[in-house]
Amino acid sequence: MKHAWYREGVVYQIYPRSFQDSNGDGIGDLNGIIKRIPYLKDLGISIVWMSPVYDSPNDDNGYDISNYQDILKDFGTLDEMFELIKKLHENGIKLVMDLVVNHSSDEHPWFQKSRKRVAPYEDFYYWKKKKRNWTSFFGGPAWTYDEERKEYYLHLFSKKQPDLNWNNPLVREEVKNIMRFWLDHGVDGFRCDVINLIAKADGLPNGKPTPILCGHEHYMNHPKIHPYLKELRDEVISKYDCFTVGETAFITPETALSYIDEDIRELDMVFQFEHMAADNYYVKWFMKKFRPMNLKKPLSKWQVGLMGRGWNSLYLENHDQPRSLSRFGSLENRYESATMLATMIYFQQGTPFIFQGQEIGMSNVSYDNLDDYQDIETKNIYKTGRKLGLSHQRMMKKIKMMSRDNARTPMQWDKSAFAGFTTHTPWLKVNPNYQEVNVENSLKKERSILKYYKEIIRLRKNHPIIVYGDYQDIDFKNQTLYAYSRSLGESKLIVLCNFSKGQCSIKQMEDLSKYECILHNYPAYDHMDKLLPYEARVYLKK
Ligand code: TEU
Ligand code: CA
């Protein structure tokens, strides 16, 4: 694959509301991020992706934008934003912003004018006299009646997130202007929110009746999307040294290649979600027991499926997903399982994405009380579940395991009150484990998850094989061991990960005597025939 900085770099995702508060109002902010740049630099990451900080009524924590060229007061000012970009760049860190343009906020002036039919905004959104049967990602109907316009409008997410009409060339012009505005201010790329949903079938017909996401066949990866993305690429992205990563749920390697193939490059890479179904039936509220094979199968499929043609993104967490340690690891073997998971994912081919707190082993908070959750998805799904007749207990069980707030609790910096995140009550309760699980502690300890992450990032910088090597499974059918190799020219790398609480034999493996162990998560590794609980090792051919 061609060399590129965004392929070699490591991305750190910041959820600004929960990263660092600088003025004691309990909400993370831009100055807080500036204050933590030394931490990011020390970690060794080279790109920051920041979840939205634009002006917003916060119905969906900033994913409902009312002004794309201004900053939410809670977070700071435009000048502070420019300062943040400058300071990051001075420290050799690039910045990727969230581009949320499938929908805006209903409080955006475009929508306010559209509902009054003010020219030229009449058709900035999808309006229909007759309601459609589509359902929203957050539960409930996706079409809502507007009293003012006396028509229904489409919202695939909350009713305060009306979908923009991409058929309208004026809408596309506005999107390009927003992108240029930020790129001209030095931003280095975009994470494109739900980008594979932006094109909708003509006439917006009713969907085939299904209980979940009714209507999806009319907007998921709809063929009309390709000219839209090409337009953005040709007129904006190609003019800058930047990259895009599309958030694309419900996608296969084949569909992904229709966006990211080297010869197409409508997007530079995508976030696929197949491995996020390792403990559920593609809809996270329908949970099933986690099995290592359920991670291995999709991850391997994507490695093989894109090889030589497209670039992967490597992630286990983001602001929408519960903590990976709680889902795929073990809290009793916190250090071993968190470092094993990191080894498993970040030695594959692709760009690593680390979600804030993952590098210190933050785990699910699982509040018992519904009132402690703030997330709109959590609140809506509770209502939907109860309407369908599920008990309070049953819904709380699902929410404790799957709520997005599990990922959104404040970053745990130290053992002081509120974990050093704020001096005041935070907007979302801190995970009670912060006395033990925090950055300060991780830096003090001789062995910590944080130090292991730093080591992975350092190794990646020194060994191109970790970035560009081809991927191959080893002993694929093994139910507890995830093993694979990477190869580049003459060099070869072997990654061994034990997903079980017990030991796991590696007797059948390649002759490792020709290899040097460059990373391992146990103090000693003289047991050459087996791996201990959640043990991980990386070998490089001498
Ligand atoms: O997420 C899109 C998306 O697919 C999620 O709604 C997903 O279904 C859900 O979070 C799984 O729990 C993006 C953003 O990442 C998310 O935070 C926003 O709420 C959403 O788009 C709407 O902008
Ligand atoms: Ca603040």
Side-chain angles (χ1 to χ4, degrees):
M1 297 293 287
K2 272 195 219 109
H3 289 203
W5 59 263
Y6 59 82
R7 291 181 171 161
E8 285 156 29
V10 172
V11 186
Y12 187 85
Q13 185 193 350
I14 291 182
Y15 195 67
R17 244 188 141 62
S18 305
F19 192 59
Q20 177 68 65
D21 178 18
S22 73
N23 62 351
D25 64 357
I27 300 172
D29 46 51
L30 298 179
N31 281 331
I33 301 176
I34 293 178
K35 182 178 145 201
R36 293 298 183 180
I37 291 177
Y39 172 74
L40 300 172
K41 200 175 172 186
D42 182 55
L43 181 55
I45 58 98
S46 42
I47 305 165
V48 162
W49 151 30
M50 214 168 51
S51 279
V53 289
Y54 314 94
D55 205 5
S56 161
N58 267 324
D59 186 54
D60 184 18
N61 278 0
Y63 282 89
D64 48 319
I65 298 168
S66 51
N67 186 344
Y68 290 86
Q69 300 181 14
D70 203 355
I71 300 295
L72 177 70
K73 283 208 179 58
D74 288 345
F75 291 142
T77 63
L78 256 187
D79 281 338
E80 285 164 357
M81 182 64 202
F82 300 147
E83 182 68 12
L84 172 63
I85 299 174
K86 193 173 132 232
K87 290 252 166 75
L88 283 170
H89 285 171
E90 280 167 10
N91 284 278
I93 300 173
K94 303 206 183 246
L95 179 67
V96 167
M97 285 181 86
D98 225 301
L99 185 70
V100 189
V101 287
N102 172 69
H103 44 268
S104 71
S105 162
D106 65 335
E107 296 183 32
H108 195 292
W110 299 333
F111 190 79
Q112 293 302 320
K113 289 177 189 156
S114 192
R115 59 155 48 130
K116 292 193 175 74
R117 299 178 195 264
V118 175
Y121 299 97
E122 305 99 306
D123 299 324
F124 260 52
Y125 299 84
Y126 296 106
W127 293 101
K128 285 286 166 199
K129 290 223 152 39
K130 267 204 185 139
K131 189 179 183 159
R132 308 297 197 248
N133 63 354
W134 302 13
T135 51
S136 111
F137 277 73
F138 290 159
W143 288 86
T144 289
Y145 188 70
D146 182 60
E147 283 299 339
E148 193 153 349
R149 174 138 167 175
K150 308 246 178 289
E151 280 184 326
Y152 291 89
Y153 65 92
L154 169 65
H155 57 90
L156 292 181
F157 293 88
S158 96
K159 56 174 186 271
K160 287 185 66 63
Q161 293 169 298
D163 281 49
L164 284 160
N165 175 6
W166 277 71
N167 279 322
N168 186 337
L170 294 177
V171 167
R172 302 201 297 275
E173 277 319 305
E174 292 286 1
V175 171
K176 285 180 261 175
N177 285 337
I178 293 164
M179 294 172 83
R180 287 189 196 104
F181 173 84
W182 288 106
L183 291 164
D184 288 338
H185 279 102
V187 161
D188 304 286
F190 297 103
R191 175 267 190 189
C192 309
D193 191 63
V194 292
I195 199 71
N196 60 330
L197 311 184
I198 59 173
K200 276 89 178 171
D202 291 336
L204 309 150
N206 272 318
K208 276 190 233 112
T210 86
I212 295 287
L213 290 186
C214 179
H216 69 269
E217 67 275 25
H218 299 310
Y219 59 78
M220 256 175 210
N221 303 304
H222 192 279
K224 280 199 316 193
I225 188 178
H226 296 292
Y228 299 158
L229 292 180
K230 277 199 188 78
E231 193 176 318
L232 300 185
R233 166 68 58 178
D234 293 345
E235 294 180 34
V236 186
I237 299 163
S238 63
K239 313 252 189 271
Y240 297 81
D241 180 21
C242 69
F243 82 100
T244 54
V245 47
E247 188 211 20
T248 52
F250 303 97
I251 198 172
T252 61
E254 277 326 298
T255 334
L257 285 169
S258 75
Y259 301 120
I260 63 169
D261 192 290
E262 278 294 274
D263 303 331
I264 296 174
R265 291 282 298 282
E266 289 171 10
L267 299 165
D268 293 300
M269 52 184 135
V270 295
F271 290 124
Q272 59 87 15
F273 283 79
E274 294 193 296
H275 65 307
M276 290 291 106
D279 57 358
N280 60 75
Y281 296 95
Y282 287 90
V283 173
K284 66 179 186 181
W285 307 108
F286 301 134
M287 288 144 25
K288 68 180 182 196
K289 188 176 176 322
F290 166 66
R291 283 179 213 289
M293 203 36 122
N294 298 342
L295 266 187
K296 187 171 172 174
K297 254 194 205 152
L299 287 173
S300 153
K301 170 174 147 190
W302 278 83
Q303 287 293 305
V304 174
L306 298 192
M307 202 151 48
R309 295 180 61 193
W311 195 249
N312 269 293
S313 67
L314 307 173
Y315 78 96
L316 289 178
E317 292 185 17
N318 62 41
H319 64 293
D320 293 334
Q321 298 294 332
R323 292 289 183 176
S324 58
L325 181 60
S326 304
R327 294 172 86 177
F328 316 131
S330 149
L331 295 179
E332 294 91 65
N333 303 69
R334 185 179 278 273
Y335 172 82
E336 289 76 17
S337 65
T339 52
M340 182 281 287
L341 287 170
T343 312
M344 181 279 295
I345 191 83
Y346 296 131
F347 280 87
Q348 303 202 357
Q349 191 191 65
T351 299
F353 286 75
I354 302 168
F355 179 65
Q356 68 180 47
Q358 183 186 336
E359 77 280 18
I360 54 168
M362 281 177 66
S363 48
N364 282 354
V365 66
S366 304
Y367 309 116
D368 291 315
N369 199 329
L370 186 61
D371 292 335
D372 285 334
Y373 295 87
Q374 302 282 339
D375 178 24
I376 180 160
E377 184 196 54
T378 304
K379 291 178 195 276
N380 284 0
I381 214 69
Y382 179 83
K383 279 186 224 144
T384 308
R386 297 286 289 160
K387 252 190 226 153
L388 292 171
L390 301 186
S391 68
H392 171 76
Q393 286 75 1
R394 182 108 182 261
M395 283 318 291
M396 286 315 292
K397 190 176 165 213
K398 289 180 189 288
I399 285 170
K400 282 162 82 166
M401 287 174 80
M402 285 300 184
S403 170
R404 306 194 293 186
D405 281 342
N406 280 312
R408 300 176 179 185
T409 58
M411 179 69 182
Q412 294 163 207
W413 295 104
D414 56 43
K415 60 177 187 312
S416 67
F418 311 120
F421 163 71
T422 181
T423 51
H424 189 72
T425 310
W427 71 278
L428 188 67
K429 277 192 190 162
V430 177
N431 190 318
N433 70 14
Y434 76 94
Q435 297 270 350
E436 172 62 22
V437 179
N438 63 57
V439 169
E440 195 182 40
N441 224 348
S442 311
L443 289 170
K444 262 195 232 140
K445 278 195 200 155
E446 203 193 319
R447 274 173 5 126
S448 68
I449 300 167
L450 178 60
K451 288 189 173 166
Y452 193 93
Y453 268 76
K454 282 165 81 168
E455 186 58 14
I456 292 183
I457 297 169
R458 197 189 64 81
L459 285 168
R460 192 181 157 88
K461 282 186 190 141
N462 295 339
H463 300 284
I465 187 173
I466 303 175
V467 181
Y468 293 111
D470 280 346
Y471 170 99
Q472 199 174 14
D473 285 303
I474 301 173
D475 190 13
F476 183 74
K477 292 212 174 88
N478 197 315
Q479 299 287 331
T480 47
L481 175 75
Y482 190 168
Y484 57 87
S485 69
R486 305 284 308 279
S487 41
L488 188 69
E490 290 298 288
S491 63
K492 195 164 173 188
L493 191 89
I494 289 185
V495 180
L496 305 176
C497 298
N498 178 7
F499 265 85
S500 80
K501 282 189 169 58
Q503 300 190 352
C504 156
S505 164
I506 48 169
K507 274 200 195 114
Q508 312 299 328
M509 303 287 314
E510 226 154 317
D511 178 11
L512 290 168
S513 60
K514 296 191 202 91
Y515 286 78
E516 181 194 356
C517 185
I518 57 165
L519 185 67
H520 51 96
N521 64 352
Y522 268 80
Y525 58 97
D526 44 9
H527 39 283
M528 291 303 286
D529 55 336
K530 62 178 186 236
L531 296 179
L532 300 178
Y534 296 104
E535 183 168 0
R537 291 187 214 161
V538 180
Y539 287 93
L540 186 65
K541 205 177 205 165
K542 280 183 202 157

